[in-house]
Amino acid sequence: MEPTPLARNRDFRLLWAGGLMASLGSQLASIALPLLVLRETGSAARAGAVGTVSVGALLLTMLPGGVLADRIERRRLMRICDVLGLLAVGALVVAVLHGHTPLPLVLLVGAAGALITGVHGPAAGGLLRAVVPAGQAREASSRMQARGAAARLIGPLGGGALFAWHPVLPFLAEGVGLLLSTVCVALMRTRSLPAATKGPVLGRAELTAGLAFIWHRPYLRTLLLIFGLGMNFAFSALMFATLAVASDGGRSGVGGGTVVSCTAAGALAGALLAPRLGARVRDGSLVAVACWACALTAGVLVLTRVPLLIGLLCAACMCLSTVASIGFVSGMLIAAPPDRIGRVQSAAAFLSTLVQPFGPLAAGTLLGSLGGTRTFALLAVAIALCAAVVTWAPPVRRGPRPHPAV
Protein backbone atom coordinates (compact mmCIF):
# COMPACT_ATOMS: atom_id res chain seq x y z
CA MET A 1 0.00 0.00 0.00
CA GLU A 2 1.36 3.38 -1.04
CA PRO A 3 1.92 5.84 1.83
CA THR A 4 -0.20 8.98 1.94
CA PRO A 5 1.58 11.83 0.09
CA LEU A 6 2.90 14.49 2.45
CA ALA A 7 0.68 17.09 0.81
CA ARG A 8 -2.35 15.08 1.99
CA ASN A 9 -0.94 14.03 5.35
CA ARG A 10 -3.00 16.19 7.72
CA ASP A 11 -0.73 15.85 10.74
CA PHE A 12 2.40 16.57 8.71
CA ARG A 13 0.80 19.72 7.31
CA LEU A 14 -0.11 20.85 10.82
CA LEU A 15 3.39 20.09 12.14
CA TRP A 16 4.98 21.93 9.20
CA ALA A 17 2.67 24.95 9.46
CA GLY A 18 3.03 25.24 13.23
CA GLY A 19 6.79 25.09 12.96
CA LEU A 20 6.76 27.71 10.22
CA MET A 21 4.80 30.13 12.40
CA ALA A 22 7.12 29.58 15.36
CA SER A 23 10.31 29.78 13.23
CA LEU A 24 9.22 32.93 11.44
CA GLY A 25 8.29 34.60 14.71
CA SER A 26 11.64 33.60 16.21
CA GLN A 27 13.54 35.02 13.24
CA LEU A 28 11.57 38.27 13.38
CA ALA A 29 12.56 38.68 17.02
CA SER A 30 16.16 37.44 16.65
CA ILE A 31 17.23 40.66 14.92
CA ALA A 32 15.05 42.80 17.19
CA LEU A 33 16.55 41.66 20.52
CA PRO A 34 20.07 43.05 19.96
CA LEU A 35 18.57 46.14 18.29
CA LEU A 36 16.44 46.69 21.39
CA VAL A 37 19.50 46.50 23.66
CA LEU A 38 21.44 48.82 21.36
CA ARG A 39 18.56 51.29 21.37
CA GLU A 40 18.23 51.18 25.17
CA THR A 41 21.94 51.20 26.13
CA GLY A 42 23.86 52.38 23.08
CA SER A 43 26.40 49.61 23.79
CA ALA A 44 27.34 47.21 20.99
CA ALA A 45 29.05 44.93 23.53
CA ARG A 46 25.84 44.55 25.52
CA ALA A 47 23.88 43.96 22.32
CA GLY A 48 26.32 41.19 21.40
CA ALA A 49 25.82 39.61 24.82
CA VAL A 50 22.31 38.58 23.74
CA GLY A 51 23.69 36.16 21.16
CA THR A 52 26.35 34.83 23.53
CA VAL A 53 23.82 34.11 26.27
CA SER A 54 21.44 32.46 23.80
CA VAL A 55 24.10 30.13 22.38
CA GLY A 56 25.30 29.21 25.86
CA ALA A 57 21.77 28.45 27.05
CA LEU A 58 21.08 26.36 23.94
CA LEU A 59 24.19 24.23 24.45
CA LEU A 60 23.29 23.64 28.11
CA THR A 61 19.80 22.46 27.19
CA MET A 62 20.38 20.27 24.14
CA LEU A 63 21.30 16.99 25.86
CA PRO A 64 18.69 17.29 28.67
CA GLY A 65 16.16 18.35 26.01
CA GLY A 66 16.73 15.09 24.15
CA VAL A 67 16.14 13.13 27.35
CA LEU A 68 12.86 14.95 28.02
CA ALA A 69 11.76 14.33 24.42
CA ASP A 70 12.26 10.59 25.05
CA ARG A 71 10.42 10.63 28.38
CA ILE A 72 7.36 12.86 27.80
CA GLU A 73 4.66 12.60 25.13
CA ARG A 74 6.21 14.75 22.42
CA ARG A 75 3.10 16.59 21.27
CA ARG A 76 2.37 17.65 24.84
CA LEU A 77 5.99 18.69 25.39
CA MET A 78 5.93 20.91 22.29
CA ARG A 79 2.79 22.64 23.50
CA ILE A 80 4.36 23.27 26.90
CA CYS A 81 7.40 24.81 25.18
CA ASP A 82 5.20 27.08 23.05
CA VAL A 83 3.23 28.28 26.07
CA LEU A 84 6.39 29.00 28.10
CA GLY A 85 7.85 30.89 25.14
CA LEU A 86 4.65 32.89 24.84
CA LEU A 87 4.86 33.89 28.51
CA ALA A 88 8.48 35.02 28.13
CA VAL A 89 7.71 37.08 25.03
CA GLY A 90 4.62 38.52 26.71
CA ALA A 91 6.76 39.86 29.58
CA LEU A 92 9.05 41.54 27.06
CA VAL A 93 6.10 43.07 25.18
CA VAL A 94 4.78 44.59 28.40
CA ALA A 95 8.21 46.05 29.22
CA VAL A 96 8.65 47.55 25.74
CA LEU A 97 5.17 49.10 25.83
CA HIS A 98 6.02 50.71 29.18
CA GLY A 99 9.06 52.35 27.60
CA HIS A 100 11.76 50.70 29.72
CA THR A 101 13.37 47.33 28.97
CA PRO A 102 16.04 46.29 31.50
CA LEU A 103 19.00 44.40 30.04
CA PRO A 104 18.55 41.46 32.47
CA LEU A 105 15.02 40.96 31.16
CA VAL A 106 16.20 40.91 27.54
CA LEU A 107 18.96 38.43 28.40
CA LEU A 108 16.47 36.31 30.32
CA VAL A 109 14.07 36.24 27.37
CA GLY A 110 16.90 35.36 24.97
CA ALA A 111 18.08 32.58 27.26
CA ALA A 112 14.53 31.31 27.76
CA GLY A 113 13.99 31.14 24.01
CA ALA A 114 17.19 29.12 23.58
CA LEU A 115 16.32 26.81 26.47
CA ILE A 116 12.89 26.15 24.99
CA THR A 117 14.39 25.51 21.55
CA GLY A 118 16.72 22.92 23.05
CA VAL A 119 13.68 20.93 24.24
CA HIS A 120 11.27 21.71 21.40
CA GLY A 121 13.64 20.59 18.60
CA PRO A 122 14.15 16.95 19.70
CA ALA A 123 10.44 16.64 20.51
CA ALA A 124 9.52 17.87 17.03
CA GLY A 125 11.99 15.42 15.46
CA GLY A 126 10.52 12.52 17.39
CA LEU A 127 6.99 13.54 16.48
CA LEU A 128 7.97 13.80 12.81
CA ARG A 129 9.19 10.20 12.95
CA ALA A 130 5.72 9.17 14.19
CA VAL A 131 3.86 11.27 11.61
CA VAL A 132 5.61 10.07 8.42
CA PRO A 133 6.82 6.56 7.41
CA ALA A 134 10.53 5.85 7.00
CA GLY A 135 10.27 5.97 3.20
CA GLN A 136 9.21 9.62 3.36
CA ALA A 137 11.75 10.72 5.98
CA ARG A 138 14.08 12.42 3.48
CA GLU A 139 11.28 14.32 1.75
CA ALA A 140 9.79 15.36 5.09
CA SER A 141 13.19 16.48 6.42
CA SER A 142 13.81 18.52 3.28
CA ARG A 143 10.49 20.29 3.66
CA MET A 144 11.31 21.07 7.27
CA GLN A 145 14.69 22.45 6.22
CA ALA A 146 13.07 24.50 3.45
CA ARG A 147 10.68 25.93 6.03
CA GLY A 148 13.57 26.98 8.26
CA ALA A 149 15.54 28.42 5.34
CA ALA A 150 12.56 30.48 4.21
CA ALA A 151 12.10 31.82 7.73
CA ARG A 152 15.79 32.76 7.95
CA LEU A 153 15.57 34.46 4.56
CA ILE A 154 12.47 36.52 5.35
CA GLY A 155 12.60 36.90 9.13
CA PRO A 156 15.56 39.23 9.76
CA LEU A 157 14.47 41.65 7.02
CA GLY A 158 10.89 41.64 8.25
CA GLY A 159 11.97 41.95 11.88
CA GLY A 160 14.15 44.95 11.09
CA ALA A 161 11.30 46.64 9.22
CA LEU A 162 8.82 45.99 12.05
CA PHE A 163 11.31 47.24 14.63
CA ALA A 164 11.77 50.46 12.67
CA TRP A 165 8.01 50.95 12.66
CA HIS A 166 7.65 50.23 16.40
CA PRO A 167 10.02 48.24 18.68
CA VAL A 168 7.23 46.09 20.09
CA LEU A 169 5.97 44.74 16.75
CA PRO A 170 8.58 41.97 16.19
CA PHE A 171 7.85 40.55 19.64
CA LEU A 172 4.10 40.74 19.11
CA ALA A 173 4.62 38.84 15.86
CA GLU A 174 6.67 36.21 17.68
CA GLY A 175 3.89 35.82 20.24
CA VAL A 176 1.31 35.33 17.49
CA GLY A 177 3.57 32.74 15.85
CA LEU A 178 3.91 30.78 19.08
CA LEU A 179 0.15 30.90 19.64
CA LEU A 180 -0.53 29.58 16.12
CA SER A 181 2.11 26.89 16.61
CA THR A 182 0.37 25.75 19.80
CA VAL A 183 -2.98 25.57 18.00
CA CYS A 184 -1.53 23.53 15.12
CA VAL A 185 0.11 21.01 17.43
CA ALA A 186 -3.09 20.73 19.51
CA LEU A 187 -5.07 19.84 16.36
CA MET A 188 -2.77 16.93 15.48
CA ARG A 189 -4.16 13.42 15.99
CA THR A 190 -0.82 11.58 16.10
CA ARG A 191 0.63 10.81 19.52
CA SER A 192 4.31 10.06 20.07
CA LEU A 193 4.59 8.53 23.53
CA PRO A 194 8.04 7.12 24.32
CA ALA A 195 8.33 3.77 26.04
CA ALA A 196 8.38 3.82 29.82
CA THR A 197 11.95 3.92 31.15
CA LYS A 198 13.19 3.31 34.66
CA GLY A 199 15.99 5.21 36.35
CA PRO A 200 16.76 8.90 36.89
CA VAL A 201 15.48 11.18 34.15
CA LEU A 202 18.69 13.19 33.86
CA GLY A 203 21.19 10.54 34.89
CA ARG A 204 24.52 10.21 33.15
CA ALA A 205 23.42 7.20 31.11
CA GLU A 206 20.35 9.04 29.89
CA LEU A 207 22.25 12.19 28.93
CA THR A 208 24.92 10.27 27.01
CA ALA A 209 22.67 7.66 25.36
CA GLY A 210 22.49 9.61 22.09
CA LEU A 211 26.25 10.12 22.01
CA ALA A 212 26.81 6.43 22.70
CA PHE A 213 24.45 5.40 19.92
CA ILE A 214 26.31 7.55 17.38
CA TRP A 215 29.77 6.54 18.63
CA HIS A 216 29.06 2.81 18.20
CA ARG A 217 28.11 3.27 14.54
CA PRO A 218 31.26 4.00 12.50
CA TYR A 219 29.37 5.56 9.59
CA LEU A 220 27.45 8.04 11.77
CA ARG A 221 30.49 8.66 13.98
CA THR A 222 32.78 9.50 11.05
CA LEU A 223 30.31 11.79 9.32
CA LEU A 224 29.46 13.59 12.54
CA LEU A 225 33.08 14.13 13.53
CA ILE A 226 34.20 15.31 10.10
CA PHE A 227 31.07 16.92 8.67
CA GLY A 228 29.32 17.92 11.90
CA LEU A 229 32.34 19.18 13.84
CA GLY A 230 35.23 19.79 11.44
CA MET A 231 33.23 21.17 8.54
CA ASN A 232 30.87 23.18 10.73
CA PHE A 233 33.86 24.90 12.31
CA ALA A 234 35.61 25.49 8.97
CA PHE A 235 32.43 26.53 7.17
CA SER A 236 31.44 29.06 9.84
CA ALA A 237 34.98 30.47 9.64
CA LEU A 238 34.74 30.62 5.84
CA MET A 239 31.37 32.40 5.93
CA PHE A 240 32.64 34.99 8.40
CA ALA A 241 35.77 35.60 6.33
CA THR A 242 33.79 35.99 3.10
CA LEU A 243 31.38 38.37 4.80
CA ALA A 244 34.24 40.47 6.17
CA VAL A 245 36.00 40.60 2.79
CA ALA A 246 32.85 41.19 0.72
CA SER A 247 31.78 44.04 3.02
CA ASP A 248 35.27 45.62 2.80
CA GLY A 249 35.80 45.31 6.52
CA GLY A 250 32.28 46.48 7.35
CA ARG A 251 32.35 49.55 5.11
CA SER A 252 30.12 48.13 2.36
CA GLY A 253 26.65 47.03 3.40
CA VAL A 254 25.80 46.07 -0.17
CA GLY A 255 28.65 43.57 -0.46
CA GLY A 256 27.91 41.94 2.89
CA GLY A 257 24.18 41.88 2.20
CA THR A 258 24.80 40.18 -1.15
CA VAL A 259 26.72 37.35 0.53
CA VAL A 260 24.11 36.87 3.28
CA SER A 261 21.19 36.86 0.82
CA CYS A 262 22.90 34.45 -1.59
CA THR A 263 23.80 32.10 1.26
CA ALA A 264 20.21 32.04 2.52
CA ALA A 265 18.92 31.43 -1.00
CA GLY A 266 21.40 28.56 -1.38
CA ALA A 267 20.09 26.93 1.81
CA LEU A 268 16.52 27.16 0.51
CA ALA A 269 17.52 25.73 -2.88
CA GLY A 270 19.35 22.86 -1.19
CA ALA A 271 16.32 21.98 0.90
CA LEU A 272 14.15 21.88 -2.22
CA LEU A 273 16.66 19.78 -4.19
CA ALA A 274 17.44 17.29 -1.43
CA PRO A 275 14.66 14.73 -2.18
CA ARG A 276 15.70 14.44 -5.84
CA LEU A 277 19.46 14.34 -5.35
CA GLY A 278 19.25 12.12 -2.28
CA ALA A 279 17.31 9.47 -4.19
CA ARG A 280 20.15 9.12 -6.74
CA VAL A 281 23.36 9.71 -4.76
CA ARG A 282 24.59 8.10 -1.53
CA ASP A 283 24.60 10.36 1.52
CA GLY A 284 28.33 9.83 2.05
CA SER A 285 29.02 10.93 -1.52
CA LEU A 286 26.85 14.03 -1.04
CA VAL A 287 28.84 14.96 2.06
CA ALA A 288 32.12 14.51 0.18
CA VAL A 289 30.93 16.64 -2.74
CA ALA A 290 29.82 19.39 -0.35
CA CYS A 291 33.22 19.37 1.39
CA TRP A 292 35.16 19.52 -1.88
CA ALA A 293 32.92 22.38 -3.11
CA CYS A 294 33.69 24.38 0.04
CA ALA A 295 37.42 23.71 -0.38
CA LEU A 296 37.24 24.86 -3.99
CA THR A 297 35.35 28.00 -2.97
CA ALA A 298 37.99 28.89 -0.38
CA GLY A 299 40.65 28.37 -3.06
CA VAL A 300 38.87 30.65 -5.55
CA LEU A 301 38.52 33.32 -2.86
CA VAL A 302 42.31 33.48 -2.68
CA LEU A 303 42.14 35.07 -6.14
CA THR A 304 38.94 37.17 -6.21
CA ARG A 305 37.13 39.77 -4.10
CA VAL A 306 34.05 40.36 -6.31
CA PRO A 307 30.99 40.35 -3.94
CA LEU A 308 28.56 38.83 -6.47
CA LEU A 309 30.94 35.98 -7.32
CA ILE A 310 31.62 35.40 -3.62
CA GLY A 311 27.88 35.31 -2.98
CA LEU A 312 27.24 32.81 -5.78
CA LEU A 313 30.04 30.54 -4.56
CA CYS A 314 28.69 30.67 -1.01
CA ALA A 315 25.19 29.91 -2.32
CA ALA A 316 26.49 26.81 -4.12
CA CYS A 317 28.34 25.64 -1.00
CA MET A 318 25.31 26.18 1.20
CA CYS A 319 23.06 24.40 -1.30
CA LEU A 320 25.25 21.28 -1.40
CA SER A 321 25.86 21.36 2.36
CA THR A 322 22.11 21.54 3.01
CA VAL A 323 21.45 18.57 0.71
CA ALA A 324 24.15 16.56 2.50
CA SER A 325 22.90 17.60 5.93
CA ILE A 326 19.33 16.56 5.14
CA GLY A 327 20.55 13.15 3.98
CA PHE A 328 22.56 12.66 7.15
CA VAL A 329 19.76 13.80 9.47
CA SER A 330 17.05 11.74 7.75
CA GLY A 331 19.26 8.65 7.82
CA MET A 332 19.97 9.21 11.50
CA LEU A 333 16.26 9.56 12.27
CA ILE A 334 15.56 6.27 10.54
CA ALA A 335 18.44 4.46 12.25
CA ALA A 336 17.68 5.68 15.78
CA PRO A 337 15.40 3.50 17.95
CA PRO A 338 12.05 5.19 18.69
CA ASP A 339 12.82 5.35 22.42
CA ARG A 340 16.13 7.13 21.80
CA ILE A 341 15.38 9.35 18.82
CA GLY A 342 15.23 12.55 20.86
CA ARG A 343 18.61 11.90 22.50
CA VAL A 344 20.29 10.89 19.24
CA GLN A 345 19.03 14.02 17.50
CA SER A 346 20.01 16.31 20.37
CA ALA A 347 23.47 14.70 20.63
CA ALA A 348 24.19 15.33 16.95
CA ALA A 349 22.89 18.90 17.21
CA PHE A 350 24.93 19.52 20.37
CA LEU A 351 28.21 18.43 18.79
CA SER A 352 27.51 20.37 15.59
CA THR A 353 26.56 23.55 17.45
CA LEU A 354 29.41 23.31 19.94
CA VAL A 355 32.08 24.38 17.45
CA GLN A 356 30.15 26.97 15.45
CA PRO A 357 30.85 30.01 17.67
CA PHE A 358 34.61 29.41 17.40
CA GLY A 359 34.71 29.54 13.60
CA PRO A 360 34.16 33.30 13.29
CA LEU A 361 36.60 33.90 16.14
CA ALA A 362 39.30 31.88 14.37
CA ALA A 363 38.58 33.56 11.03
CA GLY A 364 38.72 37.02 12.57
CA THR A 365 42.04 36.23 14.23
CA LEU A 366 43.49 34.91 10.97
CA LEU A 367 42.26 37.90 8.97
CA GLY A 368 43.80 40.30 11.46
CA SER A 369 47.18 38.59 11.52
CA LEU A 370 47.56 37.08 8.03
CA GLY A 371 45.20 39.00 5.76
CA GLY A 372 42.53 37.69 3.42
CA THR A 373 44.65 35.78 0.91
CA ARG A 374 46.51 33.63 3.43
CA THR A 375 43.36 33.12 5.50
CA PHE A 376 41.44 31.69 2.55
CA ALA A 377 44.44 29.55 1.59
CA LEU A 378 44.60 28.03 5.09
CA LEU A 379 40.84 27.44 5.11
CA ALA A 380 41.06 25.77 1.70
CA VAL A 381 43.71 23.35 2.99
CA ALA A 382 41.76 22.59 6.20
CA ILE A 383 38.51 21.95 4.33
CA ALA A 384 40.29 19.84 1.71
CA LEU A 385 41.62 17.62 4.51
CA CYS A 386 38.06 17.13 5.79
CA ALA A 387 36.90 16.35 2.25
CA ALA A 388 39.69 13.80 1.77
CA VAL A 389 38.81 11.97 5.00
CA VAL A 390 35.11 11.82 4.08
CA THR A 391 35.92 10.65 0.55
CA TRP A 392 38.26 7.81 1.46
CA ALA A 393 37.27 6.83 5.02
CA PRO A 394 36.25 3.13 4.96
CA PRO A 395 33.10 3.56 7.11
CA VAL A 396 31.77 6.25 4.74
CA ARG A 397 32.67 4.23 1.63
CA ARG A 398 30.87 1.18 3.04
CA GLY A 399 27.81 3.24 3.91
CA PRO A 400 25.43 2.75 6.85
CA ARG A 401 24.97 -0.79 8.12
CA PRO A 402 22.52 -2.16 10.67
CA HIS A 403 23.95 -2.58 14.14
CA PRO A 404 22.50 -3.97 17.35
CA ALA A 405 21.18 -1.36 19.77
CA VAL A 406 23.57 -0.21 22.45
Side-chain angles (χ1 to χ4, degrees):
M1 182 178 178
E2 290 292 326
T4 303
L6 293 181
R8 288 190 287 157
N9 185 327
R10 177 181 179 275
D11 279 359
F12 176 77
R13 295 201 312 267
L14 286 170
L15 182 63
W16 188 91
L20 176 63
M21 295 298 103
S23 296
L24 185 57
S26 176
Q27 290 297 319
L28 289 171
S30 66
I31 188 70
L33 273 177
L35 289 177
L36 183 63
V37 174
L38 196 60
R39 176 175 176 268
E40 290 281 333
T41 67
S43 170
R46 293 183 180 182
V50 176
T52 302
V53 169
S54 297
V55 172
L58 180 62
L59 288 172
L60 287 174
T61 316
M62 278 184 168
L63 295 180
V67 175
L68 293 176
D70 287 339
R71 286 296 190 100
I72 302 173
E73 200 279 311
R74 288 154 182 152
R75 175 177 163 273
R76 181 188 307 159
L77 185 59
M78 291 171 65
R79 293 172 65 191
I80 292 172
C81 289
D82 285 340
V83 171
L84 292 176
L86 189 57
L87 292 174
V89 173
L92 188 61
V93 167
V94 171
V96 174
L97 288 175
H98 277 78
H100 176 60
T101 313
L103 178 60
L105 175 61
V106 178
L107 295 177
L108 181 62
V109 170
L115 292 171
I116 292 167
T117 299
V119 178
H120 190 280
L127 185 57
L128 177 66
R129 167 81 175 268
V131 167
V132 301
Q136 293 179 326
R138 183 185 297 273
E139 182 183 359
S141 296
S142 69
R143 294 196 181 190
M144 293 297 190
Q145 287 271 14
R147 177 192 71 186
R152 288 190 296 272
L153 185 62
I154 299 170
L157 180 62
L162 289 175
F163 187 86
W165 192 1
H166 194 288
V168 79
L169 292 178
F171 308 112
L172 283 175
E174 183 181 19
V176 171
L178 289 169
L179 181 60
L180 292 175
S181 173
T182 305
V183 172
C184 287
V185 174
L187 292 174
M188 293 177 64
R189 299 191 183 104
T190 302
R191 300 293 185 271
S192 182
L193 182 62
T197 306
K198 296 181 180 180
V201 174
L202 297 179
R204 180 179 177 182
E206 293 292 309
L207 289 172
T208 59
L211 295 170
F213 178 87
I214 293 171
W215 184 257
H216 285 83
R217 280 145 183 85
Y219 174 79
L220 294 179
R221 181 180 68 226
T222 303
L223 285 186
L224 186 59
L225 288 176
I226 302 302
F227 188 60
L229 273 76
M231 273 301 298
N232 257 354
F233 174 82
F235 189 72
S236 63
L238 178 62
M239 289 298 101
F240 180 86
T242 55
L243 181 61
V245 169
S247 63
D248 192 19
R251 289 183 288 273
S252 172
V254 175
T258 299
V259 172
V260 172
S261 298
C262 288
T263 303
L268 180 57
L272 297 175
L273 288 172
R276 297 181 181 179
L277 292 179
R280 302 175 183 177
V281 185
R282 292 188 306 112
D283 293 334
S285 299
L286 288 173
V287 172
V289 169
C291 293
W292 284 116
C294 292
L296 179 61
T297 294
V300 172
L301 291 175
V302 173
L303 306 173
T304 184
R305 297 292 184 270
V306 180
L308 181 58
L309 179 58
I310 293 175
L312 293 175
L313 289 171
C314 290
C317 288
M318 182 59 76
C319 178
L320 292 171
S321 297
T322 301
V323 172
S325 177
I326 288 172
F328 174 71
V329 170
S330 59
M332 186 174 59
L333 289 177
I334 294 171
D339 64 334
R340 258 181 288 181
I341 190 169
R343 284 167 289 176
V344 170
Q345 183 183 358
S346 65
F350 173 79
L351 291 175
S352 299
T353 305
L354 187 63
V355 297
Q356 284 184 356
F358 300 102
L361 178 62
T365 302
L366 290 174
L367 285 171
S369 59
L370 301 178
T373 299
R374 292 182 180 179
T375 295
F376 286 122
L378 283 175
L379 289 174
V381 172
I383 297 173
L385 289 175
C386 292
V389 172
V390 171
T391 302
W392 288 291
V396 179
R397 291 173 66 87
R398 287 194 299 265
R401 293 185 178 182
H403 290 268
V406 293

